[in-house]
Amino acid sequence: MSTTLRNQMKEVMQMAWSFVRKNGYSMSEALKCAWANLKLKVALKVKVVEFYFKKTDGTLRQAFGTLLDSRVPETKGTKKTADNCQVYFDTEVGDWRCFKKCNLIKIA
């Protein structure tokens, strides 16, 4: 097994167990959500992605985001975010946004 695949599997399993412990997901739900988060993370680095997530107030949010260097403005410093948050550059608003990884619904 290649090291990148091994690292991805490790990341998925750690994220899934986190969803089970902190959010009360079943292992099946947690694995589906963890794989979707990994796919989103990879896609954000390559292109602008349309995805949906549940906001903390319970409403559904459609987002168009990217982490592509050519679309993201230069940042002056870095800010540490929580491990359970996915950060992305919102191409519609032109600003940085984040959401809880456990709230990812769908990648379009």
Side-chain angles (χ1 to χ4, degrees):
M1 188 182 302
S2 70
T3 57
T4 57
L5 179 60
R6 186 178 301 234
N7 290 339
Q8 287 177 340
M9 291 292 291
K10 181 180 177 182
E11 184 180 350
V12 166
M13 289 305 292
Q14 286 176 340
M15 197 182 314
W17 276 112
S18 171
F19 295 159
V20 168
R21 282 191 312 271
K22 294 178 182 174
N23 304 100
Y25 284 17
S26 69
M27 193 58 177
S28 174
E29 292 172 323
L31 282 169
K32 287 176 189 174
C33 190
W35 275 113
N37 274 285
L38 183 69
K39 290 177 185 176
L40 177 64
K41 181 178 157 185
V42 170
L44 284 172
K45 293 179 182 177
V46 178
K47 61 182 180 178
V48 176
V49 183
E50 176 186 4
F51 56 96
Y52 298 86
F53 63 91
K54 186 171 58 171
K55 292 171 46 173
T56 53
D57 66 359
T59 59
L60 189 64
R61 162 98 154 82
Q62 176 188 24
F64 293 91
T66 189
L67 293 175
L68 191 60
D69 289 333
S70 61
R71 300 287 303 260
V72 175
E74 184 178 332
T75 55
K76 296 192 177 10
T78 59
K79 183 179 177 183
K80 178 71 175 151
T81 59
D83 289 336
N84 65 343
C85 288
Q86 174 63 53
V87 177
Y88 66 97
F89 184 77
D90 193 328
T91 56
E92 291 183 316
V93 179
D95 200 8
W96 292 97
R97 301 279 186 247
C98 68
F99 66 94
K100 290 183 180 179
K101 290 180 180 179
C102 64
N103 290 340
L104 180 64
I105 302 294
K106 179 177 112 170
I107 303 170

